[in-house]
Amino acid sequence: MRQVSKKRGNAGETIVEVTVSTVIFLLVVAMLQGAVSFCGRAQQKSRQIRCDAAEVAKALRRQSWPENDVGTERFDFYAVGADGTKGYQVFSVEAVLKEETVDYEAADGASQSMTFRIYRPLPGGGGSP
């Protein structure tokens, strides 16, 4: 067997190879840092939304719903084709509208309000075929 002699040019990596691998490594680290930062902001926003929802729920439990009606609303239901074309009216329902506004303090400390609407069918059915 013949031995292959090592040449000085094949002894290691060139400066270009080291630079390219360093740049690739830094790009991967930058992408990971962006992903971690995004996850942190998403978690913070989720926490704020949950706190606001909890405050709204507390305010709703304290509220007494109005006895007076705001009005009536008629809801018409139509047959719709697969392509989205509107067909014949299938049925309609008349409902009593009740409305309540709830004031609450958001997670950021700001005072906010939210309006809820309750639709209840009219006594005696109220629907028509």
Side-chain angles (χ1 to χ4, degrees), residues 12-36:
E13 291 87 17
T14 64
I15 191 74
V16 174
E17 292 171 334
V18 171
T19 304
V20 168
S21 62
T22 303
V23 167
I24 291 172
F25 175 74
L26 291 175
L27 286 173
V28 169
V29 168
M31 286 189 300
L32 287 174
Q33 189 271 338
V36 169

mmCIF file of all heavy atoms in Angstrom, residues 12-36:
data_model
loop_
_atom_site.group_PDB
_atom_site.id
_atom_site.type_symbol
_atom_site.label_atom_id
_atom_site.label_comp_id
_atom_site.label_asym_id
_atom_site.label_seq_id
_atom_site.Cartn_x
_atom_site.Cartn_y
_atom_site.Cartn_z
ATOM 1 N N GLY A 12 -6.623 21.876 7.014
ATOM 2 C CA GLY A 12 -7.724 22.368 7.837
ATOM 3 C C GLY A 12 -8.715 23.176 7.027
ATOM 4 O O GLY A 12 -8.757 23.099 5.802
ATOM 5 N N GLU A 13 -9.541 23.954 7.726
ATOM 6 C CA GLU A 13 -10.548 24.767 7.063
ATOM 7 C C GLU A 13 -9.948 26.100 6.657
ATOM 8 O O GLU A 13 -9.057 26.628 7.321
ATOM 9 C CB GLU A 13 -11.737 25.025 8.001
ATOM 10 C CG GLU A 13 -12.563 23.809 8.306
ATOM 11 C CD GLU A 13 -12.024 23.021 9.488
ATOM 12 O OE1 GLU A 13 -11.220 23.569 10.263
ATOM 13 O OE2 GLU A 13 -12.399 21.858 9.617
ATOM 14 N N THR A 14 -10.556 26.654 5.620
ATOM 15 C CA THR A 14 -10.114 27.976 5.195
ATOM 16 C C THR A 14 -10.892 29.031 5.967
ATOM 17 O O THR A 14 -11.925 28.746 6.603
ATOM 18 C CB THR A 14 -10.357 28.168 3.691
ATOM 19 O OG1 THR A 14 -11.757 28.113 3.458
ATOM 20 C CG2 THR A 14 -9.629 27.106 2.883
ATOM 21 N N ILE A 15 -10.447 30.245 5.891
ATOM 22 C CA ILE A 15 -11.119 31.350 6.585
ATOM 23 C C ILE A 15 -12.518 31.578 6.001
ATOM 24 O O ILE A 15 -13.439 31.963 6.716
ATOM 25 C CB ILE A 15 -10.260 32.633 6.544
ATOM 26 C CG1 ILE A 15 -10.835 33.702 7.488
ATOM 27 C CG2 ILE A 15 -10.198 33.189 5.139
ATOM 28 C CD1 ILE A 15 -10.598 33.406 8.916
ATOM 29 N N VAL A 16 -12.693 31.299 4.716
ATOM 30 C CA VAL A 16 -14.012 31.452 4.086
ATOM 31 C C VAL A 16 -14.987 30.439 4.664
ATOM 32 O O VAL A 16 -16.143 30.770 4.971
ATOM 33 C CB VAL A 16 -13.881 31.291 2.551
ATOM 34 C CG1 VAL A 16 -15.252 31.291 1.897
ATOM 35 C CG2 VAL A 16 -13.031 32.393 1.972
ATOM 36 N N GLU A 17 -14.578 29.207 4.835
ATOM 37 C CA GLU A 17 -15.451 28.183 5.404
ATOM 38 C C GLU A 17 -15.836 28.515 6.836
ATOM 39 O O GLU A 17 -17.003 28.356 7.237
ATOM 40 C CB GLU A 17 -14.755 26.818 5.367
ATOM 41 C CG GLU A 17 -14.569 26.266 3.976
ATOM 42 C CD GLU A 17 -13.694 25.038 3.954
ATOM 43 O OE1 GLU A 17 -12.860 24.864 4.853
ATOM 44 O OE2 GLU A 17 -13.871 24.238 3.014
ATOM 45 N N VAL A 18 -14.900 29.002 7.609
ATOM 46 C CA VAL A 18 -15.186 29.392 8.998
ATOM 47 C C VAL A 18 -16.143 30.570 9.031
ATOM 48 O O VAL A 18 -17.098 30.606 9.829
ATOM 49 C CB VAL A 18 -13.873 29.718 9.753
ATOM 50 C CG1 VAL A 18 -14.157 30.333 11.109
ATOM 51 C CG2 VAL A 18 -13.015 28.477 9.890
ATOM 52 N N THR A 19 -15.954 31.541 8.159
ATOM 53 C CA THR A 19 -16.827 32.716 8.121
ATOM 54 C C THR A 19 -18.242 32.321 7.715
ATOM 55 O O THR A 19 -19.226 32.762 8.326
ATOM 56 C CB THR A 19 -16.269 33.756 7.136
ATOM 57 O OG1 THR A 19 -14.923 34.087 7.517
ATOM 58 C CG2 THR A 19 -17.105 35.015 7.127
ATOM 59 N N VAL A 20 -18.384 31.478 6.709
ATOM 60 C CA VAL A 20 -19.715 31.048 6.255
ATOM 61 C C VAL A 20 -20.422 30.270 7.353
ATOM 62 O O VAL A 20 -21.611 30.486 7.622
ATOM 63 C CB VAL A 20 -19.601 30.219 4.956
ATOM 64 C CG1 VAL A 20 -20.914 29.525 4.640
ATOM 65 C CG2 VAL A 20 -19.172 31.101 3.806
ATOM 66 N N SER A 21 -19.734 29.365 8.015
ATOM 67 C CA SER A 21 -20.376 28.597 9.081
ATOM 68 C C SER A 21 -20.755 29.497 10.257
ATOM 69 O O SER A 21 -21.793 29.293 10.891
ATOM 70 C CB SER A 21 -19.479 27.449 9.534
ATOM 71 O OG SER A 21 -18.270 27.949 10.059
ATOM 72 N N THR A 22 -19.958 30.509 10.541
ATOM 73 C CA THR A 22 -20.297 31.455 11.622
ATOM 74 C C THR A 22 -21.544 32.262 11.258
ATOM 75 O O THR A 22 -22.428 32.457 12.103
ATOM 76 C CB THR A 22 -19.114 32.400 11.901
ATOM 77 O OG1 THR A 22 -17.968 31.623 12.219
ATOM 78 C CG2 THR A 22 -19.427 33.353 13.034
ATOM 79 N N VAL A 23 -21.626 32.710 10.012
ATOM 80 C CA VAL A 23 -22.795 33.483 9.580
ATOM 81 C C VAL A 23 -24.056 32.617 9.644
ATOM 82 O O VAL A 23 -25.111 33.061 10.111
ATOM 83 C CB VAL A 23 -22.572 34.041 8.156
ATOM 84 C CG1 VAL A 23 -23.866 34.579 7.560
ATOM 85 C CG2 VAL A 23 -21.517 35.128 8.175
ATOM 86 N N ILE A 24 -23.973 31.382 9.195
ATOM 87 C CA ILE A 24 -25.123 30.478 9.262
ATOM 88 C C ILE A 24 -25.546 30.247 10.709
ATOM 89 O O ILE A 24 -26.734 30.281 11.045
ATOM 90 C CB ILE A 24 -24.806 29.146 8.554
ATOM 91 C CG1 ILE A 24 -24.681 29.378 7.051
ATOM 92 C CG2 ILE A 24 -25.879 28.101 8.844
ATOM 93 C CD1 ILE A 24 -24.188 28.186 6.278
ATOM 94 N N PHE A 25 -24.586 30.056 11.601
ATOM 95 C CA PHE A 25 -24.898 29.867 13.022
ATOM 96 C C PHE A 25 -25.583 31.098 13.595
ATOM 97 O O PHE A 25 -26.573 30.991 14.332
ATOM 98 C CB PHE A 25 -23.606 29.564 13.795
ATOM 99 C CG PHE A 25 -23.807 29.473 15.270
ATOM 100 C CD1 PHE A 25 -24.416 28.374 15.846
ATOM 101 C CD2 PHE A 25 -23.408 30.518 16.102
ATOM 102 C CE1 PHE A 25 -24.607 28.297 17.213
ATOM 103 C CE2 PHE A 25 -23.602 30.443 17.463
ATOM 104 C CZ PHE A 25 -24.193 29.332 18.020
ATOM 105 N N LEU A 26 -25.092 32.300 13.258
ATOM 106 C CA LEU A 26 -25.703 33.531 13.768
ATOM 107 C C LEU A 26 -27.118 33.724 13.229
ATOM 108 O O LEU A 26 -27.996 34.214 13.944
ATOM 109 C CB LEU A 26 -24.826 34.727 13.431
ATOM 110 C CG LEU A 26 -23.497 34.791 14.191
ATOM 111 C CD1 LEU A 26 -22.654 35.949 13.692
ATOM 112 C CD2 LEU A 26 -23.726 34.905 15.685
ATOM 113 N N LEU A 27 -27.359 33.334 11.977
ATOM 114 C CA LEU A 27 -28.715 33.425 11.435
ATOM 115 C C LEU A 27 -29.679 32.500 12.178
ATOM 116 O O LEU A 27 -30.820 32.874 12.479
ATOM 117 C CB LEU A 27 -28.717 33.087 9.944
ATOM 118 C CG LEU A 27 -28.133 34.153 9.014
ATOM 119 C CD1 LEU A 27 -28.035 33.619 7.599
ATOM 120 C CD2 LEU A 27 -28.974 35.410 9.053
ATOM 121 N N VAL A 28 -29.241 31.299 12.486
ATOM 122 C CA VAL A 28 -30.084 30.356 13.228
ATOM 123 C C VAL A 28 -30.372 30.892 14.629
ATOM 124 O O VAL A 28 -31.513 30.826 15.118
ATOM 125 C CB VAL A 28 -29.417 28.963 13.285
ATOM 126 C CG1 VAL A 28 -30.133 28.056 14.262
ATOM 127 C CG2 VAL A 28 -29.380 28.341 11.907
ATOM 128 N N VAL A 29 -29.361 31.454 15.284
ATOM 129 C CA VAL A 29 -29.555 32.027 16.620
ATOM 130 C C VAL A 29 -30.528 33.200 16.556
ATOM 131 O O VAL A 29 -31.401 33.352 17.430
ATOM 132 C CB VAL A 29 -28.202 32.449 17.234
ATOM 133 C CG1 VAL A 29 -28.389 33.303 18.462
ATOM 134 C CG2 VAL A 29 -27.371 31.222 17.562
ATOM 135 N N ALA A 30 -30.429 34.038 15.523
ATOM 136 C CA ALA A 30 -31.347 35.178 15.386
ATOM 137 C C ALA A 30 -32.782 34.705 15.183
ATOM 138 O O ALA A 30 -33.719 35.280 15.752
ATOM 139 C CB ALA A 30 -30.909 36.057 14.221
ATOM 140 N N MET A 31 -32.982 33.641 14.396
ATOM 141 C CA MET A 31 -34.336 33.108 14.203
ATOM 142 C C MET A 31 -34.890 32.546 15.511
ATOM 143 O O MET A 31 -36.066 32.752 15.840
ATOM 144 C CB MET A 31 -34.335 32.025 13.127
ATOM 145 C CG MET A 31 -34.189 32.576 11.726
ATOM 146 S SD MET A 31 -34.444 31.367 10.422
ATOM 147 C CE MET A 31 -33.193 30.167 10.778
ATOM 148 N N LEU A 32 -34.084 31.857 16.265
ATOM 149 C CA LEU A 32 -34.545 31.304 17.542
ATOM 150 C C LEU A 32 -34.891 32.421 18.531
ATOM 151 O O LEU A 32 -35.873 32.335 19.253
ATOM 152 C CB LEU A 32 -33.481 30.384 18.136
ATOM 153 C CG LEU A 32 -33.314 29.043 17.432
ATOM 154 C CD1 LEU A 32 -32.135 28.291 18.028
ATOM 155 C CD2 LEU A 32 -34.577 28.220 17.548
ATOM 156 N N GLN A 33 -34.078 33.482 18.534
ATOM 157 C CA GLN A 33 -34.348 34.606 19.435
ATOM 158 C C GLN A 33 -35.672 35.261 19.058
ATOM 159 O O GLN A 33 -36.468 35.625 19.927
ATOM 160 C CB GLN A 33 -33.197 35.620 19.367
ATOM 161 C CG GLN A 33 -33.259 36.714 20.408
ATOM 162 C CD GLN A 33 -34.060 37.923 19.965
ATOM 163 O OE1 GLN A 33 -34.257 38.155 18.782
ATOM 164 N NE2 GLN A 33 -34.550 38.668 20.927
ATOM 165 N N GLY A 34 -35.953 35.418 17.763
ATOM 166 C CA GLY A 34 -37.222 35.994 17.319
ATOM 167 C C GLY A 34 -38.401 35.124 17.713
ATOM 168 O O GLY A 34 -39.443 35.628 18.123
ATOM 169 N N ALA A 35 -38.232 33.808 17.607
ATOM 170 C CA ALA A 35 -39.317 32.895 17.976
ATOM 171 C C ALA A 35 -39.608 32.957 19.474
ATOM 172 O O ALA A 35 -40.762 32.981 19.897
ATOM 173 C CB ALA A 35 -38.963 31.471 17.569
ATOM 174 N N VAL A 36 -38.562 33.002 20.282
ATOM 175 C CA VAL A 36 -38.738 33.087 21.733
ATOM 176 C C VAL A 36 -39.390 34.413 22.116
ATOM 177 O O VAL A 36 -40.280 34.468 22.959
ATOM 178 C CB VAL A 36 -37.382 32.890 22.452
ATOM 179 C CG1 VAL A 36 -37.480 33.247 23.919
ATOM 180 C CG2 VAL A 36 -36.903 31.464 22.279
#
